[in-house]
Amino acid sequence: MNTIQFFGADWCPDCQRAKAYLKENNINFNFVDVDLDKEATSKVEAINKGKRIIPTIIINDKPYTNPDNAILANSLGINKNGRVVLYGANWCPDCQRAKAYLQDNHINFQFIEVDKHDWAAKLVEETNKGKRIIPTIFIDDVAYTNPDNAILKEVLSIGHETEKRVYDSIIVGAGAAGLTASIYIQRDRFNSLILEKKNVGGNAFLTEKIENYPGFTTISGPELTQKMAEQAKTYGAKIETGVSVNAIQKTGTTFSVTTNMGQYESKTVVLALGSTYRKLGIPNEEDLIGAGIHFCATCDGAFYRDKEIIVIGGGNSALEEGVFLAKFCKKVTIVNRNNEFSASQTYIEKLPSIKNIETYMNKESVEFIKSDKGNFKGLKIKDVKSGETQELYADGAFIFIGLIPNTDSIKDFIQLNKQGFITTTGLAETNVKGIFAAGDCREGAIAQVAAATGEGVLASYGVRQYFK
């Protein structure tokens, strides 16, 4: 049968995104939790050259490493007007004709070679009363035996004009800022569409515990942002995940938002693009990312249960994640290049009471150390004052040294500062009238969930004023 093996974990944001997309499109799959199955972990590492990258999804013996929704759509034949699965063979002229027609009209289809899969050949024979006729094409589970292009055109509505919806506002990013903006925009009786390249929640989703959000003494990032998403949907917002924005263009009074999943139209745009983790830029870092070097304790910490790890950084994220990792790691070594932590006093005061946390102050990270086999072995550090170096050995490392705004896709259209943050004036207005910015991607923003919600409110007021 058409088998899909899904190797992942429940805590993994991209796994949740991919699982949701498969379920939404009624795609059956076998989910294997790599935290509970050592053989599965080994298989993932073997596929990804030693790196533990999830989700790793195997579709008919072909592995896909952390595929986005566009790749899943392409490999599984998922389209807005139906799922298309083509059973055929490369030597078959009619199969080539059908494939070319679908490709020319930008129809995703899953191609399954009957010569390579006995179950596929059997399915074709059962469908065609014992005859092995190819191509046999299933469109939304309805079989079409060697359909000509005219039939494909009719069934898939190729070339038929469809009405395009123009939204009042498209919000790029489903973090706290984007979700809040949507809630306020919807309450103002404007309709909004949220486009998110990964999962709802942004960086907050990766936070195991939030203790400084008003109204909650403590709450997990996923729980808090899920509540925001539910509220936005209650007011009528639409949220699409797995959608990466490639470009934005203004055409007359509306904006065309080009993505990996197609083109969308809106009267205004709110850029709540968020940020990604900053790297150290030292030797061996790139080679070991995902194979010993990580940026999210909630995502990858479980791989290091009862092992020793290094945390690099001195701010809130470094100490918060370090304390979290100490709960199940054998030892946590925190390396800070300054003589004091820049984190909140609350986090600093926790450290002395945690016996398996050791700190190295005034130490600069200069190189990651590899073993003879090329695996992660440790970190070489240098004393900022004396210049003396030493090597720290561990099973893995987590880097928390700040964030970089996700603004590459709009840098030629929107004004940015030297660091890549979006510059704004007034009610979160960018240099392009009708486009607003909120959250971590905006110059001067504070990278905290509570602050991000305020940013979303500010942008929503900008949208309201624009329509006035």
Side-chain angles (χ1 to χ4, degrees):
M1 61 178 294
N2 188 1
T3 57
I4 299 175
Q5 282 187 297
F6 191 127
F7 296 98
D10 290 334
W11 48 259
C12 165
D14 273 312
C15 297
Q16 292 191 7
R17 181 262 309 161
K19 285 168 70 176
Y21 185 72
L22 293 175
K23 288 178 180 178
E24 285 170 6
N25 289 281
N26 300 314
I27 306 294
N28 295 320
F29 58 92
N30 179 35
F31 179 73
V32 182
D33 194 322
V34 295
D35 288 343
L36 305 177
D37 191 323
K38 292 184 178 179
E39 289 185 8
T41 300
S42 299
K43 190 167 186 177
V44 167
E45 290 177 345
I47 291 171
N48 298 298
K49 299 179 180 179
K51 295 187 177 183
R52 298 170 183 170
I53 304 175
I54 53 175
T56 291
I57 302 175
I58 301 176
I59 302 173
N60 291 332
D61 301 326
K62 183 177 179 180
Y64 296 83
T65 300
N66 192 13
D68 62 18
N69 289 6
I71 292 174
L72 289 174
N74 182 266
S75 60
L76 292 168
I78 299 170
N79 304 275
K80 290 184 178 180
N81 50 356
R83 186 185 177 204
V84 180
V85 183
L86 192 159
Y87 292 85
N90 286 322
W91 48 260
C92 163
D94 273 314
C95 297
Q96 292 179 9
R97 181 262 309 161
K99 286 167 67 177
Y101 183 74
L102 294 173
Q103 288 168 345
D104 289 344
N105 287 281
H106 309 290
I107 300 295
N108 294 321
F109 63 92
Q110 182 181 6
F111 177 59
I112 299 176
E113 294 186 64
V114 294
D115 291 347
K116 292 186 177 180
H117 303 283
D118 292 338
W119 63 267
K122 184 178 179 181
L123 177 63
V124 168
E125 290 176 356
E126 290 175 350
T127 302
N128 297 296
K129 299 179 180 180
K131 296 181 180 180
R132 188 178 291 189
I133 304 173
I134 54 175
T136 293
I137 303 177
F138 284 82
I139 301 174
D140 274 350
D141 296 326
V142 177
Y144 295 84
T145 302
N146 192 13
D148 61 20
N149 290 0
I151 292 175
L152 292 175
K153 178 179 180 179
E154 182 63 31
V155 174
L156 293 168
S157 301
I158 294 173
H160 291 191
E161 293 298 325
T162 57
E163 181 183 357
K164 277 191 175 181
R165 180 176 183 181
V166 178
Y167 290 90
D168 291 323
S169 190
I170 285 180
I171 300 165
V172 186
L179 293 170
T180 304
S182 178
I183 290 169
Y184 275 74
I185 288 170
Q186 291 290 150
R187 283 176 59 85
D188 283 336
R189 300 296 187 267
F190 300 118
N191 60 63
S192 64
L193 168 67
I194 303 175
L195 302 177
E196 168 57 50
K197 66 179 178 180
K198 289 191 176 181
N199 59 285
V200 170
N203 285 341
F205 181 89
L206 306 175
T207 304
E208 187 262 345
K209 186 185 289 186
I210 296 174
E211 299 178 317
N212 56 1
Y213 189 84
F216 298 94
T217 304
T218 179
I219 187 171
S220 73
E223 185 181 359
L224 177 60
T225 52
Q226 190 57 46
K227 288 179 181 292
M228 294 180 185
E230 289 171 1
Q231 188 175 0
K233 289 179 181 178
T234 298
Y235 289 127
K238 184 179 179 182
I239 302 175
E240 293 189 14
T241 58
V243 182
S244 299
V245 172
N246 301 322
I248 301 174
Q249 290 181 317
K250 190 167 187 177
T251 53
T253 59
T254 62
F255 294 95
S256 295
V257 181
T258 304
T259 77
N260 62 330
M261 299 295 284
Q263 193 163 302
Y264 301 82
E265 303 289 326
S266 71
K267 299 173 185 175
T268 64
V269 176
V270 176
L271 300 172
L273 299 163
S275 55
T276 53
Y277 298 104
R278 188 180 298 277
K279 301 175 185 177
L280 288 163
I282 61 177
N284 296 327
E285 181 179 32
E286 290 294 335
D287 293 342
L288 293 170
I289 288 176
I293 296 176
H294 310 274
F295 300 88
C296 173
T298 306
C299 309
D300 302 312
F303 288 124
Y304 296 94
R305 188 173 298 277
D306 299 322
K307 295 184 178 181
E308 297 186 4
I309 57 100
I310 297 168
V311 169
I312 302 167
N316 283 340
S317 295
L319 269 60
E320 179 183 357
E321 303 287 26
V323 170
F324 168 68
L325 289 163
K327 294 177 182 179
F328 52 85
C329 291
K330 182 179 178 181
K331 181 182 178 182
V332 175
T333 300
I334 300 178
V335 176
N336 182 22
R337 65 178 299 173
N338 300 313
N339 62 353
E340 292 182 350
F341 289 114
S342 60
S344 300
Q345 196 63 30
T346 305
Y347 294 121
I348 296 173
E349 291 172 354
K350 288 182 180 180
L351 294 183
S353 63
I354 304 174
K355 295 181 180 179
N356 62 332
I357 289 183
E358 184 178 3
T359 60
Y360 283 75
M361 310 299 285
N362 281 325
K363 307 296 182 184
E364 183 181 357
S365 302
V366 294
E367 180 183 355
F368 285 107
I369 306 167
K370 286 184 178 181
S371 68
D372 293 338
K373 295 182 179 180
N375 299 323
F376 180 92
K377 186 177 180 181
L379 175 70
K380 185 177 182 180
I381 59 175
K382 180 177 70 173
D383 188 278
V384 174
K385 294 182 179 179
S386 68
E388 182 181 349
T389 62
Q390 65 183 112
E391 295 182 350
L392 304 176
Y393 299 107
D395 298 294
F398 289 80
I399 303 172
F400 304 107
I401 57 169
L403 301 168
I404 298 173
N406 298 327
T407 53
D408 273 354
S409 62
I410 49 92
K411 63 183 179 181
D412 296 327
F413 187 62
I414 299 295
Q415 184 177 319
L416 311 177
N417 68 7
K418 291 181 180 179
Q419 290 74 39
F421 292 91
I422 300 172
T423 58
T424 60
T425 58
L427 295 174
E429 302 157 77
T430 69
N431 64 303
V432 178
K433 193 174 182 180
I435 297 185
F436 307 85
D440 295 357
C441 65
R442 191 182 72 86
E443 181 180 24
I446 300 171
Q448 294 290 321
V449 180
T453 59
E455 297 260 331
V457 174
L458 185 68
S460 75
Y461 271 66
V463 171
R464 179 200 291 181
Q465 186 63 37
Y466 178 82
F467 283 121
K468 281 185 179 180

